[in-house]
Amino acid sequence: MAAGIWALVPFKGATGAKRRLGDVLNESERESLVLAMMRDVLATLTRCRTLGGILLVSRDRMAFELAEEFGIDVFEDSATDLSGAVVQSGDYARDSRAASGTLFVPGDVPLIRPEDVDAVLDGHQHVTLVPDANDIGTNAAASSPPNAFEYLFDGKSFKPHIASARRAGIEPRIVRRTAWGLDVDTVDELTAVAAQAVGTRTGAFLEASGIPARLATNS
């Protein structure tokens, strides 16, 4: 079982997020969706005994409300992109929290459960990568020690991250799980999540808003 690994959860804020869903969700709905998904992710992580702690990586004011709600910490990064934010927060976790490793977790994988996190950390040694459902993006990345390889997040980072780990002399371990694979950036992905989100904050929001019926009408 991995020990001393801190989850890093970047959060740019909900305002103006998920613009690719603009054809089916208005701005207020997109903001509510982002916050529901983030709460699902944080709720899962706080139930994971395999984690040493959780850092919400953000400069957004809402991050502090979320951190208080879930009893976690905020790291205010100064990075200009996701890779930089993960590096900065990884350095902080190592230097200030004595983290032996880090686990990057995006805020839009609302279906993950503690057993999905355990599947990543059980057997983890140096670098473990979790792709999206299409093996294009990286939906989780464990690194021991923190920043053991170069992060290259750009929406198509899974294969580049494999190459990056190998350049660092590490053969990455690959874990594929359905819940990790379903992030929400497109209408098709939202439809897939809506069909499986029973019992989650995300599912409750979608049902209350009538969004699944709207998606079915537009399909």
Side-chain angles (χ1 to χ4, degrees):
M1 189 72 71
I5 292 182
W6 278 64
L8 310 176
V9 188
F11 176 58
K12 292 190 298 184
T15 303
K18 301 298 180 185
R19 295 181 186 275
R20 292 169 69 183
L21 301 176
D23 288 343
V24 293
L25 303 184
N26 62 39
E27 184 173 356
S28 176
E29 289 171 332
R30 296 198 305 274
E31 291 179 8
S32 295
L33 173 66
V34 166
L35 291 174
M37 292 193 296
M38 178 60 74
R39 286 187 167 97
D40 278 328
V41 168
L42 295 178
T44 286
L45 294 177
T46 56
R47 300 200 305 272
C48 293
R49 298 181 182 277
T50 48
L51 291 172
I54 304 164
L55 288 179
L56 190 55
V57 183
S58 180
R59 300 190 294 270
D60 190 86
R61 61 175 181 78
M62 185 64 194
F64 295 91
E65 296 180 28
L66 289 168
E68 182 175 0
E69 179 180 344
F70 289 94
I72 61 175
D73 297 323
V74 176
F75 173 75
E76 295 184 81
D77 69 288
S78 60
T80 58
D81 60 14
L82 177 56
S83 297
V86 175
V87 168
Q88 287 184 9
S89 55
D91 285 344
Y92 174 81
R94 179 194 61 217
D95 297 342
S96 299
R97 302 304 172 93
S100 63
T102 55
L103 173 66
F104 157 76
V105 181
D108 61 350
V109 284
L111 302 184
I112 63 169
R113 298 292 182 268
E115 56 267 30
D116 296 301
V117 179
D118 290 344
V120 177
L121 297 184
D122 288 348
H124 167 71
Q125 291 185 313
H126 302 296
V127 173
T128 300
L129 300 173
V130 184
D132 63 20
N134 300 307
D135 276 13
I136 295 175
T138 305
N139 279 3
S143 176
S144 297
N147 299 328
F149 69 109
E150 181 184 8
Y151 292 106
L152 301 165
F153 292 107
D154 64 354
K156 301 177 180 179
S157 64
F158 177 56
K159 290 180 180 178
H161 277 153
I162 292 175
S164 174
R166 289 172 176 166
R167 285 195 299 273
I170 301 167
E171 183 60 31
R173 172 174 167 263
I174 309 301
V175 173
R176 292 179 174 86
R177 287 182 68 94
T178 299
W180 280 114
L182 282 173
D183 56 329
V184 180
D185 288 306
T186 68
V187 174
D188 286 344
E189 290 165 347
L190 178 61
T191 301
V193 165
Q196 301 178 50
V198 175
T200 67
R201 292 166 173 82
T202 300
F205 161 71
L206 292 173
E207 285 297 331
S209 303
I211 290 171
R214 193 188 313 164
L215 293 173
T217 300
N218 291 340
S219 63

